[in-house]
Amino acid sequence: MNSRIQNLYSFMERQSLDVLLVTMPKHVYYLTGFYTDPHERFLGLVLVKGQDPFLLVPSLDLEKAQQTSSVSTIHAHTDTQNPYAVLKSYLPSSITSFGVEKSHLTVAGFEALSSHVEAKVWADIEQPLREMRVIKTPEEIVIMKKAIRIVEDVLRAGVEKVRVGVTEMDIVAELEYQMRRLGSQGPSFGTLVLAGEKSGQPHGEPSNSVIKEGELLLLDLGVFADGYASDITRTFAVGELNAKNKEMYDVVLQANLRGIEAVRPDVTFASIDYAARKSIVDRGYGDYFITRLGHGLGLEIHEYPSVHGENQDKTREGMLFTIEPGVYVPGHGGVRIEDDVIVTADGVEVLTSFPKELTIIGV
Ligand code: MN
Ligand code: MN
């Protein structure tokens, strides 16, 4: 049994859980090596106190699970069976405390589960999973570096296609085509290509509007590789920028560098946010930096930790997150520069390497 699953058994012991059910597909992958998107079908990794773990999978996934899962006991349910009745048949008859993923199980899923399985206490199992996931292992770091290398190759290829007169969607399509071509599993979130005024919306929608000369062009993209997400933003100049846009770019670049400098072990996330934010505030753009500085990155595109001004949790070696300061001026435009960084034993390693100095493209 692998150490991740052993950790969950220890958690069960501490919390006096009789059964622990993992339903989030990414967590099933994290714990067993078997990934599937079951859509509405039931998928679960089940730990029963004193017994070996087992998987309960849709029958159409049985073969794949047998080939890839480190958990060797695998049961299947067919589309005509009630999966919760099947689950119940593999559980002890008397259960006091049952652990579930409260942030993943839907109300409908819980109603179906609790109508078949009786338990006095329904406990949440997020804590041990979050605790494990927040520290990336050397093996995970290798995969994250692969996801980052691919997205940087994608970004380079996409930038080549930028010309005055093409649309934001043309570039989105090119980037997402390259994501598949260059060996990723696809985008880790909806690719953003935002030109001109729209770069001033942190989560604007790319459209068929045309890229024009003299505009800022913001590209925010990521891919999944082997289940892990990368995330990078670069903002470019389509031709020569005016003085205001150049200033905004420099403000954000300096904040990005100050944020990265502040990363090392045993400092609060608030202190990292502050270092970047102060540099923006000092130059008079504080009102335009309206987001947190960054977010954890791994199996999910946004995960723990959140890098914001109220987070007093401290960094530890192996934590991986984004540093993405931005300045967003409504009706004018914006700049964001986003890197992925990891806390090392004595400082920080910046995993993204795409150049950050203001670059003119497309003309
Ligand atoms: Mn991003
Ligand atoms: Mn991000």
Side-chain angles (χ1 to χ4, degrees), residues 189 220-221 231-233 295 324 336 338:
F189 59 93
D220 185 355
L221 57 155
D231 188 6
I232 185 170
T233 307
H295 55 84
E324 49 178 308
R336 173 164 68 252
E338 174 178 33

Side-chain angles (χ1 to χ4, degrees), residues 277-292:
R277 196 167 302 275
K278 181 174 188 308
S279 119
I280 292 179
V281 169
D282 285 351
R283 292 183 64 180
Y285 283 87
D287 289 345
Y288 301 111
F289 180 21
I290 51 178
T291 67
R292 61 181 173 181

Side-chain angles (χ1 to χ4, degrees), residues 272-322:
I272 300 168
D273 182 275
Y274 177 79
R277 196 167 302 275
K278 181 174 188 308
S279 119
I280 292 179
V281 169
D282 285 351
R283 292 183 64 180
Y285 283 87
D287 289 345
Y288 301 111
F289 180 21
I290 51 178
T291 67
R292 61 181 173 181
L293 182 63
H295 55 84
L297 190 64
L299 286 172
E300 293 173 284
I301 182 67
H302 285 182
E303 61 182 47
Y304 178 82
S306 186
V307 187
H308 67 70
E310 299 296 327
N311 189 351
Q312 298 301 326
D313 293 351
K314 288 189 169 176
T315 52
R316 281 178 282 155
E317 182 181 357
M319 287 182 170
L320 200 160
F321 47 89
T322 68

Side-chain angles (χ1 to χ4, degrees), residues 79-92:
D79 285 347
T80 53
Q81 286 177 306
N82 182 321
Y84 298 96
V86 177
L87 174 65
K88 181 187 166 70
S89 71
Y90 294 111
L91 295 179

Side-chain angles (χ1 to χ4, degrees), residues 8-28:
L8 290 185
Y9 275 109
S10 307
F11 175 78
M12 289 176 74
E13 186 79 40
R14 290 197 301 278
Q15 304 290 315
S16 304
L17 301 184
D18 300 304
V19 179
L20 182 152
L21 170 64
V22 177
T23 48
M24 185 175 142
K26 290 244 161 182
H27 280 158
V28 172

